[in-house]
Amino acid sequence: MCNEILIKLCLQSSTQLTVFLLCLFLNPSGDVRSEQQYQQQKFLHQSPGPPYRKDQHRGDSRGRGRGGWQGEHQSSSEEMPRYITVSTFAQARAAEIKAMLKAVAQKSSNSLVFQTLPRHMRRRAMSHNIKRLPRRLQEVARKEAEKAVHQKKEQSKTKCRKARRRHVNLVAEFNRRQRKNIWLETHIWHAKRFHMVKKWGYCLGNSPTEKCYRACYRAMTNHCLLQDLSYYCCLELTGKENELLRQLARICSVDAGLTFGAASCLSGRCEGSLNLHRADRYPEDMLGPVTFIWKPRYGSENRQLWIWMHPALKQNILNELKAIFQCSEPEEICIPEPITTLSQEEKQMDVVQSLGKKRKKEDKDGDKAVPVKKIIGDGTRDPFQSYSWVSQTTGIVISDQTMEILRYRLIGPLSHSVLTETLKAASIQTEMVDSESKLNNWWVENCKDSEKVSLHRRQTAIFELLEGISSPSEMPPGTILGLTVGDPRINLPKKKTKAIPDPEKYQDNDKVRQLYLEGVPVECAHSFIWDQDICKNVTENKISEQELNKMRAQLLVPGSQLDLGPCESKIPILLVQQPGKMAGEDRPGWGSGWDIYLPKGWGMAFWIPFIYRGVRVGGLQEASKHSEYQRIPHTPDDFPDCPAGMQFAKELESSLLDKFKRRPPAKRANYVKLGTLSPFICPWGQLVKSWEGRMKAPEEFVRPSSRHAEHCATEGHGFCDTKPEVVKEASPETGEVEETMEVSSEDAIKTEGDTGTQDFGERGETMRSDFTVLRSEKLLMQLSAWCYPTSGKDRRPRLVSRLGGKEMTEDVLLPILMSYPRALVWVNLSLLRKGNPELHAMICIPTEDDLVHLSKDRLFCGPQEPKHRDIFKHKVQKLKENKRKKKEEDNVKAQESNPPSVPEKETTEECKDLILGLWSGTLPDVTSHCSRTLLGYVTRGDFSLATGCGEALGFVSLTGLLYMLYSQPADKKGLVLLRTPASLQYRFARLSIEV
């Protein structure tokens, strides 16, 4: 209180009074004298001698004590001192005065001067007008204002919205924002209409903001859906054909299907697809699925090969290709400058900032600012990173063409109609418009060659025939058609229309029938898009949107079609047919369409004309549904044996676990009681190990029955189902008796030597070499035939005979089990009754009683899992209690000013692992934990709009599948049980393998 009064007095008093008050209030334990002593000192001053110093020391010693002169006043009845020696007293208290002045100069709070005034004296204008303050505070307020000006960040010159929305400033801002995540050329269009996500180094559209889930399905089924797949990566291999095929044969296998050397693909007339593995490691060490296109032979030994892959797989595949071709040295590190297509649109800016003229942007050097170039392609890549690698031994060159070639996908039966209405073949041009211009110079040179002109006309005729077909699925799978088209922006309709085929327009049915049977000739698959120099020329000489709009404004008849003549750009493209659903009997050809490959820089020029033909646009969610309805694995979700799939599973587990922890314990499922050991990740490694252990037991394939179960219990055979004991307990909440699963101590506590599935953070690392996915076509066809009933109403004798199924005998099954002891099989599941399968749902084997009950009652949905006992609940409660007690002890110690105790390391680790509702530590045997034997897990499941019932896709153990099919009756083969992680209800489903 005294210090505050002193500060206020200091602000109002003079300098001498301030010093006096400081000396008086700050610990005055120094030279304090009475009037008598002062007179004596004055007298002694007149005559020289040391008595003054003696007296001063005496006064010092007498004045010292607790409280200074107050201590002396309390000890004697002397009067208050009337005089002090200011200079000596101030010198003795110099340090204290200095500290006091420092404290006065510094602000003790963040409030401004006018905020320290009483409320009745404050005025709103004080915050910006210093003269409104009292005069004694104006100087301090002025200093505060100057300090605030220096602390303020320098505001940008283009701070108004009009300046921010200028094109050059927008492009510069967009280039800055895509340094970390690459933007596609259609990014801004998507960002206004889609929920955007950042994945795999790109910023991609996940799903539309409008409600169009069913509309997108209808577009894929009846009309056309458009997707931008430009984020897919392309690696180009150049070299001798024999050398390429010899090395590429090491990373794929004929056992899994066609390879790079397939005749139809090697000629260049069809696109191929396959799965890559590490060199000489099939069927292990999966790298991921790819598609590939060979450039048609054109009188040269060297061939070009494009390998397209998902961005999550790119780095692993690129490293493997460099290893097998021995490409260790980069060919040449070129730093490609981002090419601008707006060079005519963006004029050079002036820097002179004079009075009466608009402000112009200046760079740091003061020179004229260069217009900002829009990044096209992968311009955000590190300039010191290599783009191509060459092998000194084989001469093979690997080039990274990512984002150099754009890729759009049209899905639906009318996708060819959208193509034919949007694109028009380029006209023949033999003369240059301007000798100095480089526009279309490559096209003029090629038009002088009669063979190339003839080829272009044949390609045009085939492209026009596409309008007469009813669906792209009628074309041979993977058909490739090369073409050179004009600028699609010229043919824009006045408003959106819906592209519809017109079969009457083309009455030549013989040519269409020939196209169905023979496909596109090999020579018509040639395209100039393979030439990088031509693509660069086409990108650099693109006519800007601004110039096109100026030309439209100069038309005599507004709204009429613009005719550029020889000035129209010519763009080489490549059309690749996508076959759609090929496996299975139902909905053949569903989801077929066309992929279109373009040079970079022309993304929006083709995108908007497609939109004007009435297509729907889909994102990542629609791509996932497209593969789900085709019942094919989706990359990288459904490839658990490749590094990208393992990484995806880890990230998914982490996000689901975080979401689970965010909810309070009373509002989330207790998975321990539900018998779900791993609700957020599929423990594939432990699943196949458990079934392998069962297979090694004697009498593996014996049909399970109650008698056989008793026999196994007495004999100790491990392959028989070991059912946990069912105990009836009274529920503590309701008091009703309910069945609970008693977990055995052997299941709950595993031995230290067991290499089972680890905790959440470690499970992905143990999955790498634990299992493989079966991809042998012959074996998959055999399994597919065995999954169908051979008797009863659901039998399919024609399909089984076509698949060439053998009888299930031990002689047939044992070689399969010996060759693939730890294999998973991709399966499709369709629910018989109601139900909606979810992610990580459990696929289980039904018992004999379940099948008998289903035979008697066709409306029987499925059995129910008894509720399990939570063996971790008391541990969690005990930890909570210990934590509460420890907190109380720490609070008591804090009040007693003792340091809080450090928690033990073991206790904190145990507390971290224990989460109420989740299984803690190493998992027990996953196959026999519940009342129904576990067979596999669902990776994707939902209500299918295509079939009108719940459908799921997932993996099952090959050993478990053979065991189930061998033991099931002939009319019930392929029947399984599905149970979602947060439910106790099992539901019957039909299992099938489509090949």
Side-chain angles (χ1 to χ4, degrees), residues 66 73 96 117 132 234 286 356 366 440 502 688 732 812 828 912 954 987:
R66 186 174 181 182
H73 181 70
E96 295 177 7
L117 289 171
R132 289 280 188 174
C234 176
M286 172 76 170
N440 298 334
D502 187 9
V688 295
V812 176
N828 169 51
K912 185 181 178 182
R987 298 196 181 276

Side-chain angles (χ1 to χ4, degrees), residues 522-661:
V522 179
E523 55 271 12
C524 292
H526 178 268
S527 173
F528 292 106
I529 200 171
W530 289 93
D531 193 332
Q532 294 183 16
D533 295 332
I534 291 177
C535 288
K536 185 178 180 181
N537 183 293
V538 170
T539 304
E540 288 178 345
N541 295 288
K542 175 189 171 187
I543 300 175
S544 67
E545 201 74 37
Q546 185 179 8
E547 289 186 8
L548 278 179
N549 291 335
K550 285 182 180 178
M551 293 177 189
R552 289 193 183 104
Q554 294 171 1
L555 289 172
L556 293 177
V557 181
S560 59
Q561 188 171 347
L562 187 64
D563 185 14
L564 297 181
C567 295
E568 184 181 356
S569 299
K570 310 296 188 295
I571 308 105
I573 64 169
L574 201 66
L575 299 174
V576 181
Q577 188 260 6
Q578 296 299 316
K581 190 176 184 298
M582 299 180 68
E585 286 188 317
D586 58 328
R587 298 180 290 113
W590 185 92
S592 60
W594 291 89
D595 280 7
I596 176 170
Y597 297 83
L598 315 165
K600 68 176 182 181
W602 284 88
M604 288 304 295
F606 280 76
W607 186 265
I608 298 300
F610 284 144
I611 301 296
Y612 268 73
R613 265 66 186 192
V615 301
R616 278 251 172 214
V617 181
L620 297 177
Q621 178 181 289
E622 284 68 35
S624 176
K625 288 296 172 186
H626 178 237
S627 62
E628 184 178 328
Y629 290 155
Q630 290 187 81
R631 298 172 186 164
I632 59 174
H634 186 251
T635 311
D637 319 12
D638 299 324
F639 289 87
D641 56 338
C642 78
M646 296 176 193
Q647 182 64 29
F648 175 84
K650 281 184 181 180
E651 293 173 358
L652 179 63
E653 179 197 21
S654 177
S655 64
L656 292 176
L657 183 60
D658 291 342
K659 186 179 180 181
F660 180 81
K661 287 179 179 178

Side-chain angles (χ1 to χ4, degrees), residues 105 107 109-116 126-127 130 133 137-151:
K107 285 174 61 178
S109 65
N110 294 328
S111 59
L112 299 173
V113 173
F114 71 89
Q115 292 172 330
T116 59
M126 287 179 178
S127 59
I130 296 173
L133 285 163
L137 300 178
Q138 287 182 9
E139 189 63 31
V140 182
R142 195 173 285 108
K143 289 179 181 178
E144 282 183 354
E146 291 174 1
K147 189 178 180 182
V149 168
H150 290 303
Q151 285 180 348

Side-chain angles (χ1 to χ4, degrees), residues 86 136 243 318 340 426 520 572 615 640-641 662 928:
V86 176
R136 59 186 176 82
E243 188 63 32
L318 178 60
T340 177
V520 177
V615 301
D641 56 338
R662 284 198 297 269
S928 59

Side-chain angles (χ1 to χ4, degrees), residues 813-927:
L813 297 177
L814 284 176
I816 298 174
L817 294 172
M818 296 302 292
S819 303
Y820 300 95
R822 296 183 179 181
L824 298 174
V825 185
W826 175 256
V827 295
N828 169 51
L829 302 155
S830 296
L831 290 173
L832 299 185
R833 297 289 173 189
K834 64 180 181 179
N836 192 18
E838 296 176 1
L839 180 68
H840 300 151
M842 290 161 281
I843 308 169
C844 302
I845 301 175
T847 61
E848 270 194 3
D849 296 337
D850 298 334
L851 297 176
V852 169
H853 196 168
L854 180 65
S855 300
K856 293 179 179 179
D857 183 9
R858 299 293 293 178
L859 299 177
F860 177 56
C861 291
Q864 205 163 16
E865 174 74 15
K867 191 176 286 186
H868 292 235
R869 186 171 62 87
D870 191 352
I871 61 174
F872 301 104
K873 189 173 182 181
H874 68 282
K875 292 183 180 180
V876 175
Q877 290 174 349
K878 188 177 179 181
L879 279 171
K880 280 186 177 180
E881 186 66 23
N882 293 341
K883 192 176 179 182
R884 185 183 61 80
K885 288 180 180 179
K886 186 177 169 301
K887 191 175 181 181
E888 290 177 359
E889 290 174 4
D890 289 344
N891 291 337
V892 172
K893 288 180 180 179
Q895 291 175 1
E896 296 174 359
S897 70
N898 291 329
S901 59
V902 180
E904 296 180 5
K905 189 177 180 181
E906 296 180 0
T907 309
T908 54
E909 288 180 357
E910 188 181 3
C911 183
K912 185 181 178 182
D913 292 342
L914 278 175
I915 302 171
L916 187 63
L918 295 180
W919 194 278
S920 177
T922 308
L923 298 183
D925 184 12
V926 293
T927 56

Side-chain angles (χ1 to χ4, degrees), residues 142-301:
R142 195 173 285 108
K143 289 179 181 178
E144 282 183 354
E146 291 174 1
K147 189 178 180 182
V149 168
H150 290 303
Q151 285 180 348
K152 262 186 188 176
K153 291 182 180 178
E154 186 179 352
Q155 292 182 351
S156 58
K157 295 180 180 178
T158 57
K159 59 182 178 180
C160 64
R161 189 181 188 282
K162 183 180 179 183
R164 287 198 313 270
R165 299 300 297 176
R166 285 195 189 110
H167 182 74
V168 175
N169 296 337
L170 272 180
V171 172
E173 175 66 12
F174 293 161
N175 289 347
R176 183 192 64 79
R177 283 165 57 185
Q178 58 178 310
R179 286 174 191 163
K180 190 175 287 186
N181 295 285
I182 301 170
W183 288 6
L184 307 183
E185 291 190 16
T186 58
H187 171 84
I188 295 175
W189 190 95
H190 277 92
K192 295 176 181 179
R193 300 164 179 87
F194 275 69
H195 298 289
M196 306 301 289
V197 292
K198 293 174 182 176
K199 281 189 174 182
W200 313 302
Y202 294 87
C203 201
L204 306 173
N206 187 43
S207 59
T209 52
E210 62 177 346
K211 293 182 180 179
C212 59
Y213 178 80
R214 288 175 176 266
C216 288
Y217 169 74
R218 287 196 297 268
M220 286 189 279
T221 308
N222 302 322
H223 190 246
C224 183
L225 183 85
L226 175 63
Q227 290 177 336
D228 188 354
L229 300 184
S230 301
Y231 62 92
Y232 267 63
C233 303
C234 176
L235 296 179
E236 183 183 82
L237 275 64
T238 309
K240 293 183 178 179
E241 180 181 315
N242 294 334
E243 188 63 32
L244 285 170
L245 290 174
R246 187 170 65 85
Q247 297 296 338
L248 290 173
R250 298 174 58 195
I251 58 176
C252 57
S253 175
V254 184
D255 185 43
L258 297 178
T259 62
F260 289 100
S264 58
C265 302
L266 189 60
S267 63
R269 66 183 298 181
C270 289
E271 180 191 49
S273 61
L274 47 79
N275 295 312
L276 296 185
H277 298 258
R278 295 201 182 276
D280 307 320
R281 291 288 297 163
Y282 175 84
E284 299 175 354
D285 290 343
M286 172 76 170
L287 292 176
V290 298
T291 59
F292 62 92
I293 301 173
W294 285 94
K295 181 183 178 182
R297 295 184 180 92
Y298 202 69
S300 175
E301 291 184 3

Side-chain angles (χ1 to χ4, degrees), residues 375-392:
I375 290 179
I376 296 177
D378 194 0
T380 58
R381 182 161 34 181
D382 184 6
F384 298 103
Q385 184 180 351
S386 302
Y387 280 74
S388 60
W389 302 264
V390 64
S391 172
Q392 301 297 332

